[in-house]
Amino acid sequence: MIQVISVIGALLILIPFAANQFERLTRDSFVYQLMNLAGSGTLAAVALVERQYGFLLLEGTWALVSLWGLASVLKK
């Protein structure tokens, strides 16, 4: 089950990234930031459960930056 959750988290990061690369979604859009936050938050939680501290640092930081980006989008 943890693998399924990890794949979903990864997809929530990869889909907006690919959409941005193909100019379908901008990085300053609500959907882009929300998907990044959801994906990185999910992967950070998995890393915590699995005690993968390097991965937790990466994904936790990604989640915090995504949260900052989401707050910036909401301020507009």
Side-chain angles (χ1 to χ4, degrees):
M1 189 57 160
I2 200 86
Q3 290 298 323
V4 172
I5 294 168
S6 294
V7 169
I8 291 168
L11 287 172
L12 285 170
I13 292 172
L14 292 171
I15 289 169
F17 172 74
N20 179 258
Q21 294 300 307
F22 291 110
E23 299 178 354
R24 300 288 185 194
L25 196 60
T26 62
R27 67 179 182 89
D28 60 346
S29 71
F30 177 79
V31 171
Y32 180 92
Q33 295 296 337
L34 183 63
M35 288 181 76
N36 264 285
L37 178 59
S40 59
T42 299
L43 290 174
V46 168
L48 181 62
V49 167
E50 295 290 315
R51 296 182 181 168
Q52 297 178 1
Y53 300 113
F55 194 47
L56 177 59
L57 175 63
L58 172 68
E59 293 304 331
T61 302
W62 193 312
L64 290 173
V65 172
S66 296
L67 183 60
W68 181 275
L70 186 60
S72 296
V73 168
L74 291 174
K75 284 183 184 178
K76 291 181 184 180

